[in-house]
mmCIF file of all heavy atoms in Angstrom:
data_model
loop_
_atom_site.group_PDB
_atom_site.id
_atom_site.type_symbol
_atom_site.label_atom_id
_atom_site.label_comp_id
_atom_site.label_asym_id
_atom_site.label_seq_id
_atom_site.Cartn_x
_atom_site.Cartn_y
_atom_site.Cartn_z
ATOM 1 N N CYS A 105 -13.400 -29.348 67.521
ATOM 2 C CA CYS A 105 -12.943 -29.196 66.111
ATOM 3 C C CYS A 105 -14.149 -28.769 65.191
ATOM 4 O O CYS A 105 -15.130 -29.501 65.194
ATOM 5 C CB CYS A 105 -12.281 -30.445 65.608
ATOM 6 S SG CYS A 105 -11.519 -30.216 63.985
ATOM 7 N N GLU A 106 -14.020 -27.637 64.548
ATOM 8 C CA GLU A 106 -15.109 -27.178 63.693
ATOM 9 C C GLU A 106 -14.912 -27.667 62.210
ATOM 10 O O GLU A 106 -15.758 -27.489 61.416
ATOM 11 C CB GLU A 106 -15.134 -25.652 63.718
ATOM 12 C CG GLU A 106 -15.368 -25.032 65.055
ATOM 13 C CD GLU A 106 -15.254 -23.573 65.074
ATOM 14 O OE1 GLU A 106 -15.053 -22.962 64.000
ATOM 15 O OE2 GLU A 106 -15.272 -23.014 66.159
ATOM 16 N N ILE A 107 -13.761 -28.223 61.942
ATOM 17 C CA ILE A 107 -13.465 -28.666 60.597
ATOM 18 C C ILE A 107 -13.408 -30.190 60.562
ATOM 19 O O ILE A 107 -12.784 -30.818 61.398
ATOM 20 C CB ILE A 107 -12.095 -28.072 60.096
ATOM 21 C CG1 ILE A 107 -12.225 -26.531 60.082
ATOM 22 C CG2 ILE A 107 -11.758 -28.596 58.758
ATOM 23 C CD1 ILE A 107 -10.945 -25.891 59.735
ATOM 24 N N ASP A 108 -13.999 -30.805 59.539
ATOM 25 C CA ASP A 108 -13.966 -32.265 59.413
ATOM 26 C C ASP A 108 -12.650 -32.654 58.812
ATOM 27 O O ASP A 108 -12.293 -32.307 57.638
ATOM 28 C CB ASP A 108 -15.101 -32.677 58.482
ATOM 29 C CG ASP A 108 -15.141 -34.147 58.300
ATOM 30 O OD1 ASP A 108 -14.504 -34.901 59.105
ATOM 31 O OD2 ASP A 108 -15.778 -34.664 57.361
ATOM 32 N N LEU A 109 -11.795 -33.293 59.607
ATOM 33 C CA LEU A 109 -10.514 -33.699 59.168
ATOM 34 C C LEU A 109 -10.470 -35.128 58.636
ATOM 35 O O LEU A 109 -9.441 -35.664 58.285
ATOM 36 C CB LEU A 109 -9.475 -33.609 60.338
ATOM 37 C CG LEU A 109 -9.222 -32.200 60.864
ATOM 38 C CD1 LEU A 109 -8.313 -32.276 62.103
ATOM 39 C CD2 LEU A 109 -8.593 -31.352 59.827
ATOM 40 N N SER A 110 -11.622 -35.832 58.647
ATOM 41 C CA SER A 110 -11.637 -37.263 58.302
ATOM 42 C C SER A 110 -11.271 -37.494 56.837
ATOM 43 O O SER A 110 -10.581 -38.440 56.579
ATOM 44 C CB SER A 110 -13.024 -37.823 58.620
ATOM 45 O OG SER A 110 -14.012 -37.175 57.898
ATOM 46 N N GLU A 111 -11.782 -36.662 55.961
ATOM 47 C CA GLU A 111 -11.464 -36.868 54.534
ATOM 48 C C GLU A 111 -11.234 -35.499 53.857
ATOM 49 O O GLU A 111 -12.142 -34.891 53.318
ATOM 50 C CB GLU A 111 -12.616 -37.598 53.835
ATOM 51 C CG GLU A 111 -12.694 -39.072 54.272
ATOM 52 C CD GLU A 111 -13.625 -39.861 53.383
ATOM 53 O OE1 GLU A 111 -13.706 -39.550 52.171
ATOM 54 O OE2 GLU A 111 -14.219 -40.796 53.885
ATOM 55 N N PRO A 112 -9.987 -35.020 53.904
ATOM 56 C CA PRO A 112 -9.723 -33.750 53.256
ATOM 57 C C PRO A 112 -9.868 -33.882 51.732
ATOM 58 O O PRO A 112 -9.617 -34.916 51.153
ATOM 59 C CB PRO A 112 -8.264 -33.504 53.643
ATOM 60 C CG PRO A 112 -7.715 -34.774 54.014
ATOM 61 C CD PRO A 112 -8.811 -35.613 54.538
ATOM 62 N N THR A 113 -10.271 -32.819 51.107
ATOM 63 C CA THR A 113 -10.419 -32.827 49.661
ATOM 64 C C THR A 113 -9.047 -32.806 48.985
ATOM 65 O O THR A 113 -8.189 -31.910 49.269
ATOM 66 C CB THR A 113 -11.240 -31.572 49.195
ATOM 67 O OG1 THR A 113 -12.485 -31.583 49.902
ATOM 68 C CG2 THR A 113 -11.465 -31.579 47.702
ATOM 69 N N ILE A 114 -8.860 -33.769 48.081
ATOM 70 C CA ILE A 114 -7.601 -33.861 47.397
ATOM 71 C C ILE A 114 -7.660 -33.012 46.093
ATOM 72 O O ILE A 114 -8.626 -33.106 45.347
ATOM 73 C CB ILE A 114 -7.248 -35.327 47.059
ATOM 74 C CG1 ILE A 114 -7.121 -36.070 48.313
ATOM 75 C CG2 ILE A 114 -6.006 -35.375 46.185
ATOM 76 C CD1 ILE A 114 -6.912 -37.605 48.121
ATOM 77 N N THR A 115 -6.675 -32.171 45.924
ATOM 78 C CA THR A 115 -6.607 -31.314 44.730
ATOM 79 C C THR A 115 -5.575 -31.916 43.731
ATOM 80 O O THR A 115 -4.784 -32.784 44.067
ATOM 81 C CB THR A 115 -6.171 -29.911 45.066
ATOM 82 O OG1 THR A 115 -4.834 -29.923 45.596
ATOM 83 C CG2 THR A 115 -7.113 -29.307 46.112
ATOM 84 N N ALA A 116 -5.591 -31.353 42.499
ATOM 85 C CA ALA A 116 -4.620 -31.748 41.530
ATOM 86 C C ALA A 116 -3.191 -31.460 42.007
ATOM 87 O O ALA A 116 -2.242 -32.187 41.709
ATOM 88 C CB ALA A 116 -4.892 -31.056 40.183
#
Side-chain angles (χ1 to χ4, degrees):
C105 188
E106 299 172 8
I107 298 174
D108 181 15
L109 296 174
S110 60
E111 290 191 32
T113 303
I114 297 174
T115 65

